[in-house]
Amino acid sequence: MSALETAQRQLLAERYPTRAEAAAALVELQATCALPRGTELFASDIHGEFNAFSHVLRGGSGAVRALIAEAFGGQLSADEAAELLSFILYPQEKCAFVAAGPNSLEAYLAEQLPLAVAVARRAAASTSLDAVCALIPEDFALMEELVAADPADAAKRVYCSAIVAGYLEAGEGVSFAVALGTLIQRLVVNQLHLVGDVYDRGPAPQLIMEELLTFPNVDVQWGNHDILWMGAALGQPGSVANVVRICARYGNLNILEDAYGINLRPLAAFAAEAYADDPCAAFGLKDRTGLTDAEATLTEKIQKAMAIIQFKVEAQLIAENPSFGLEDRNLLHLVDRERGTVVVDGVEYELIDTVFPTVDWEDPYQLTPGEQAVIEQLCAAFQNSEKLQRHMGFFLEHGSLYKIENGNLLLHACVPLNADGSLMEVTLFGETYRGKSLYDMVDRCVREAFEAEGEARKRGLDMLWYLWLGPGSPLFAKSKMATFELYLIADKAARKEVKNAFYSLLDNAAVVDGIFEDFGMDPAASRIVCGHVPVKAKDGEDPVKADGRVLCIDGGFSAAYQKTTGLAGYTLVSNAEGLFLDANTPLASREAAVKENADIVADRRVLERYPRPATVADTDEGAVLEARAALIASLL
């Protein structure tokens, strides 16, 4: 026995001082390994679409609907089943809706609660009682009796009915319904893997973060938009400028003001004055929903003001970090004011917008005093937002650049490759990295931005910005970030952002196998799960690549991408039965889900069905438990 095993056994002996205690622990571990494998739910590129994501998560991508069908078969009509589903997914909102109507809330609860208990009992059947009890609030400990009871036992049925009736008589029916609904929701998803991009474009990323904070088991693989917000939260000027500009572009400045308490009045006053007579022709909004004409006009001016500030602060970052290789992104000094043109990659293009009131053409990247005051105030406001710091702290604690679990390599965008499929070498801060070493270095830099001091912290902060737009960034995966061109040049040739070779080689099994080998994984039993680039399903693009070795699950949760994908997001489900890919339909609204029992109906594709139900022993967690069991057996 090795010294490590001897030390481990000694610790176990201290933890289990008697043979009976050690035997009980061994039996528990062995029994846990025999349980059905828990359900893993994978989603990516949520982009602020809280309603749709929350609905999918609460329902386990159709799992609750399936449990209702299993529990009641044909006993419930389609309308009754839909009502029960809505009650389980939205107990608080559903009760409020019923209470506001003509019908009795108490009668409604008396009808729905026993049905929900039957669903909870079904959901808990493949989970240990200890695990179920850990999800039950102390105030409703008797729920354990309801879940564990045998429905065939007449005496137990009477007992359980008395418990439900007792909560109703005590005026705790709504609270009990919320606890019961939450229990079912937690039981149908054992682990949530969020493969990047909670933020930008959609209206409510902060609500997604609040829901994630309450979820027991979740991990996040940082996306490029998440990294941008992490940098902004630390006051990194390039990240702040990009975040504010994007929020303005999508008409979502209220996210900053209302959700995170970031004061935009100094910015608005500056933009209104500096661009007072500027039509901001190239800065129209992607979404004007909910904005008056005056608000939309001001938001366009804010967007342009932040774009120009961004170009200037990024020029400083580029000068400070020559290893980033981003000098070609400095374009302001290449503008010919008389001709109304700019030279990009040696080609002269006509500008859409030639009004630059804050640019000193003798020193085009110098911030004006007004711009300097704006960016300093914004950086401080981001750093002082308590809610934003809490949300980014969650990202840091539960997130990473990649994760390997149960044979899946989870990453947001790509492993940068050369055209021949070899791992692309990226030189940053004087060192060269590729593949896994690049990922590990970047992950370390991100953490240093939050936790280190001095030069290491500065390096981490600048890396957060580089990850957003650098050609060697595993989160960006393109040749350039053409923000300047997208705003100011109509010619699409100038706007072209060439994707990394990773995306053209995804169907090359040999190339994918090389990635697995670099990450220390078995190519014969591994998959890459990624997002970042929307799958054009409506045009026949298949999210399954390389004979199932790669799964691209960005299916357009964001409404901004649904015209591209033709659907409303993918969710990947791995459970005891197999591996399944759900292509989701849009959710009309959260209100419709509560009041009209609207649902997301997915087109489910079977990627793999196991010949026998998988158990915990078949997972990475099972391997850890079996190793621990072997040590305890040795102790015995």
Side-chain angles (χ1 to χ4, degrees), residues 518-601:
D518 183 63
F519 277 82
M521 302 173 69
D522 178 6
S526 300
R527 288 188 180 88
I528 293 173
V529 180
C530 60
H532 188 58
V533 175
V535 176
K536 297 178 181 178
K538 70 178 181 62
D539 296 332
E541 183 181 356
D542 192 348
V544 181
K545 317 286 186 182
D547 297 324
R549 285 186 171 94
V550 180
L551 305 176
C552 299
I553 61 169
D554 181 0
F557 261 101
S558 170
Y561 286 133
Q562 288 173 11
K563 290 182 180 179
T564 298
T565 63
L567 46 97
Y570 287 118
T571 38
L572 183 67
V573 179
S574 176
N575 59 29
E577 303 303 318
L579 185 67
F580 309 92
L581 185 66
D582 291 345
N584 300 308
T585 59
L587 180 69
S589 67
R590 192 181 186 91
E591 184 180 34
V594 174
K595 297 181 178 180
E596 302 166 21
N597 300 337
D599 193 13
I600 291 177
V601 180

Side-chain angles (χ1 to χ4, degrees), residues 44-82:
S44 82
D45 298 271
I46 308 306
H47 284 302
E49 297 293 343
F50 168 69
N51 289 340
F53 172 70
S54 176
H55 190 91
V56 167
L57 180 60
R58 288 170 180 237
S61 198
V64 175
R65 189 189 319 114
L67 283 173
I68 291 172
E70 292 172 12
F72 298 104
Q75 298 175 45
L76 298 180
S77 68
D79 288 345
E80 289 171 333

Side-chain angles (χ1 to χ4, degrees), residues 71-225:
F72 298 104
Q75 298 175 45
L76 298 180
S77 68
D79 288 345
E80 289 171 333
E83 182 68 33
L84 178 57
L85 177 63
S86 179
F87 175 71
I88 291 172
L89 300 194
Y90 303 99
Q92 187 83 50
E93 297 94 327
K94 197 73 179 182
C95 289
F97 173 63
V98 171
N103 298 322
S104 164
L105 175 59
E106 186 172 345
Y108 178 78
L109 287 168
E111 178 184 12
Q112 296 297 326
L113 282 174
L115 301 178
V117 167
V119 176
R121 192 176 292 129
R122 191 91 182 187
S126 57
T127 306
S128 72
L129 188 57
D130 279 349
V132 174
C133 292
L135 297 172
I136 297 175
E138 289 185 9
D139 290 346
F140 296 101
L142 282 173
M143 197 180 292
E144 175 187 339
E145 298 278 2
L146 301 177
V147 171
D150 180 1
D153 187 327
K156 278 290 186 181
R157 286 202 305 272
V158 173
Y159 175 60
C160 291
S161 296
I163 292 175
V164 174
Y167 279 120
L168 286 172
E169 290 172 10
E172 292 295 316
V174 174
S175 298
F176 180 70
V178 171
L180 184 60
T182 302
L183 173 64
I184 295 169
Q185 294 166 27
R186 297 294 182 261
L187 286 171
V188 296
V189 178
N190 298 86
Q191 183 75 28
L192 171 64
H193 303 290
L194 196 51
V195 193
D197 279 357
V198 168
Y199 281 87
D200 290 333
R201 297 193 173 90
Q206 76 283 0
L207 297 181
I208 295 173
M209 294 302 296
E210 288 296 315
E211 188 135 334
L212 294 178
L213 283 166
T214 67
F215 200 83
N217 298 306
V218 57
D219 54 77
V220 179
Q221 291 70 58
W222 302 317
N224 53 318
H225 290 269

Side-chain angles (χ1 to χ4, degrees), residues 100 129 269 333 353 433 465 611 630:
L129 188 57
H333 70 285
D353 188 337
Y433 309 89
W465 170 75

Side-chain angles (χ1 to χ4, degrees), residues 257 262-272 302 370 373-375 377-378:
E257 290 188 296
I262 293 171
N263 182 10
L264 297 181
R265 282 175 292 179
L267 167 61
F270 167 79
I302 288 173
V374 163
I375 193 65
Q377 179 270 327
L378 286 173

